[in-house]
Amino acid sequence: MSLFESFKLGSTTELKNRFVMAPLTRCRAINNIPNELMAEYYQQRAGAGLIISEGTSPSPNGLGYPRIPGAYSDAQIEGWKKIADAVHAKDGKIFVQLMHCGRITSKLNMPEDSQTLAPSSIIAAGEMFTETGMFPHEMPKAMNLEEIESTQNEFVNSAKRLVNEAGIDGIELHSANGYLLNQFLNPKSNQRDDQYGGSVENRTRFVLETAQKVVEAIGADKVGIRFSPYGEFNDMLPDYEDLEQTFIYLSKKLAKMNLAYIHIVDQRIAFGAPAFTTDIKNSIKINFKGTVITGGDVDSEEKAQAILSSGLDLVYVGRSFISNPNFVEKIQNKENLMAPDMETFYTSGDKGYTDYV
Ligand SMILES: Cc1cc2nc3c(=O)[nH]c(=O)nc-3n(C[C@H](O)[C@H](O)[C@H](O)COP(=O)(O)O)c2cc1C
């Protein structure tokens, strides 16, 4: 079980090691189109076993932050093809994270003809940054059944185009950190009284239907999903009565679909979230049985090894991959890591982006 040996993800994707570059929004996609600078950034980090891209919107309705990429127009798909080619040229693998922000947005970050959609018409606490300052989140429209179906189809179309036209290795459904899919799972943002709200079965329906449709379109081996149990980021309720039951139910259903992996964000570390009240990572692993990724503040071989020793399969690394493009090599050679500059996490241009060595 070496961190530095290859790992078979699903039946199609061979990873050269067990380190996963975590999805990291970096706001360099001018006009929401992936570009050459981003191709260079991802190519520099192709030493990861798997790169999971920054959150990428499947629709104009899903754009939340300024300068995040999309995967719904021809120009965006062409941009993703350049990135896939750049990563593959260095023998790397890349999944694109599909992130529909739902209610975590400002109109100022969205095109004019778009709509802010969410399970219920409940505004999220907090503010969104825009090119002209901070603004309260947008009041969302509660999705009707037609909008539920058309939004699921947007995920399907993006997934198909990314894999078939751009040559991306797979996609990750972002069902964590308070974005649209997570908004359906969480009782604070989902107060629907139809078949998409209330019970565990109903609150998980949107996520499971979306996963099933994407699996039918591109194959289960190319689909992963990210969850953040006990997370409170973006105005989520961190704990609720049937939380453990929710994730056990999801894990069992996703196991039946043969999904490539479940990716668990540990918000206790980077986001300062409260303690877990159950052994949720283990419950997910036992019920899913397939590949599970987790991490949080991994900056040494020992911390990464502890994750494998706990029975989980792959280790995600976020901030350390920002400032150490050759992170895996540095860990293997026991070299010191460079600390990231937070000031340039979300700025535009190459500073704090492609200039780390
Ligand atoms: C600048 C920045 C951007 C992030 N963007 C995303 C994102 O687009 N999607 C996502 O799922 N998580 C995102 N995260 C969370 C990271 O994937 C990761 O879970 C977090 O940084 C903790 O890992 P670390 O301690 O190794 O940094 C982001 C974190 C940071 C610091």
Side-chain angles (χ1 to χ4, degrees), residues 182-225:
N182 195 181
Q183 288 160 29
F184 271 90
L185 298 180
N186 198 283
K188 189 170 183 184
S189 44
N190 182 350
Q191 293 181 6
R192 299 176 70 96
D193 53 14
D194 66 355
Q195 67 269 40
Y196 289 93
S199 64
V200 168
E201 212 178 345
N202 286 353
R203 279 186 285 115
T204 55
R205 192 180 307 280
F206 182 78
V207 170
L208 291 171
E209 282 179 357
T210 306
Q212 181 63 43
K213 288 180 184 183
V214 174
V215 161
E216 279 163 19
I218 62 169
D221 281 332
K222 295 186 183 298
V223 185
I225 194 162

Side-chain angles (χ1 to χ4, degrees), residues 72-97:
Y72 49 85
S73 74
D74 290 346
Q76 290 164 344
I77 297 300
E78 273 166 39
W80 281 114
K81 184 172 184 335
K82 280 185 201 140
I83 293 173
D85 289 347
V87 170
H88 292 156
K90 295 281 178 194
D91 202 23
K93 295 281 156 53
I94 179 165
F95 275 38
V96 167
Q97 186 186 56

Side-chain angles (χ1 to χ4, degrees), residues 22-25 54-55 97 99 174 177 226 265 270-271 296-298 316-319 322 345-346:
L24 295 157
T25 290
E54 63 209 274
Q97 186 186 56
M99 170 174 84
H174 195 354
N177 300 352
R226 198 171 208 211
V265 189
F271 300 78
D297 209 21
V298 173
Y316 76 73
V317 176
R319 290 161 297 170
I322 290 180
F345 275 179
Y346 307 113

Side-chain angles (χ1 to χ4, degrees), residues 4-7 12-19 39 42-51 82-95 167 169 321 328-329:
F4 305 104
E5 276 169 19
S6 64
F7 180 87
T12 45
T13 314
E14 184 88 18
L15 312 184
K16 56 189 169 194
N17 57 59
R18 292 193 188 220
F19 288 98
Y42 283 114
Q43 186 174 60
Q44 290 173 341
R45 288 157 181 79
L50 177 67
I51 292 174
K82 280 185 201 140
I83 293 173
D85 289 347
V87 170
H88 292 156
K90 295 281 178 194
D91 202 23
K93 295 281 156 53
I94 179 165
F95 275 38
D169 297 295
F321 246 119
V328 179
E329 216 178 283

Side-chain angles (χ1 to χ4, degrees), residues 237-353:
L237 190 63
D239 202 356
Y240 42 91
E241 210 187 340
D242 54 14
L243 181 145
E244 193 183 24
Q245 212 190 325
T246 301
F247 286 97
I248 290 174
Y249 181 78
L250 283 165
S251 304
K252 285 184 178 161
K253 290 283 181 188
L254 295 168
K256 284 213 179 93
M257 288 183 209
N258 270 320
L259 222 69
Y261 65 81
I262 292 181
H263 186 177
I264 309 170
V265 189
D266 195 330
Q267 284 197 358
R268 288 172 300 185
I269 300 155
F271 300 78
F276 291 3
T277 52
T278 64
D279 189 0
I280 197 73
K281 290 187 184 181
N282 202 27
S283 302
I284 290 176
K285 176 67 187 177
I286 290 168
N287 288 287
F288 179 59
K289 298 185 182 73
T291 300
V292 174
I293 311 174
T294 196
D297 209 21
V298 173
D299 55 5
S300 67
E301 185 174 345
E302 291 66 36
K303 283 193 195 168
Q305 190 58 52
I307 289 173
L308 299 196
S309 304
S310 75
L312 305 181
D313 307 285
L314 298 171
V315 180
Y316 76 73
V317 176
R319 290 161 297 170
S320 286
F321 246 119
I322 290 180
S323 48
N324 302 276
N326 52 347
F327 175 85
V328 179
E329 216 178 283
K330 280 192 178 173
I331 290 291
Q332 196 160 18
N333 298 335
K334 305 206 181 305
E335 285 174 49
N336 288 336
L337 296 179
M338 188 138 161
D341 168 22
M342 283 173 59
E343 299 295 311
T344 49
F345 275 179
Y346 307 113
T347 47
S348 52
D350 61 349
K351 191 169 174 289
Y353 190 58

Side-chain angles (χ1 to χ4, degrees), residues 121-149:
S121 188
I122 302 170
I123 198 163
E127 294 185 318
M128 170 53 69
F129 74 94
T130 73
E131 304 286 13
T132 50
M134 300 295 291
F135 287 89
H137 288 126
E138 213 59 48
M139 172 61 89
K141 171 182 184 300
M143 291 160 82
N144 60 33
L145 295 184
E146 225 169 63
E147 286 156 348
I148 284 188
E149 198 181 343

